[in-house]
Amino acid sequence: MSSRTLEEKLTVAEVITDLRVAPSTFYRWRQLGKGPRAIKLPNGDVRIRRSEYERWLAEREDAA
């Protein structure tokens, strides 16, 4: 993967679509500190770096 792809920012909608979970599930994970690290933009939108999302997924795989 190119560094540009790894630094791509994903929307919450893209992440929940990929994971096939409800938005409420994703936000509950965030509240509990169990979701991927995210960036909160000044307008309140949330973005997740693709590299962080991939790292978070890899951790879940080890825990399975």
Side-chain angles (χ1 to χ4, degrees):
M1 249 182 233
S2 72
S3 63
R4 182 177 173 107
T5 302
L6 288 175
E7 291 312 309
E8 175 187 7
K9 311 304 185 283
L10 302 171
T11 65
V12 170
E14 290 171 324
V15 171
I16 63 174
T17 297
D18 186 56
L19 292 173
R20 298 180 184 162
V21 298
S24 59
T25 299
F26 178 81
Y27 285 111
R28 186 172 61 251
W29 290 345
R30 279 189 33 91
Q31 274 187 323
L32 296 171
K34 295 184 178 197
R37 289 180 48 206
I39 302 162
K40 189 166 188 178
L41 301 176
N43 66 356
D45 287 351
V46 174
R47 298 287 184 274
I48 298 97
R49 283 188 178 92
R50 180 173 293 282
S51 58
E52 169 58 17
Y53 179 58
E54 296 293 336
R55 181 203 62 77
W56 180 81
L57 280 177
E59 280 185 4
R60 306 285 76 72
E61 189 174 289
D62 292 343

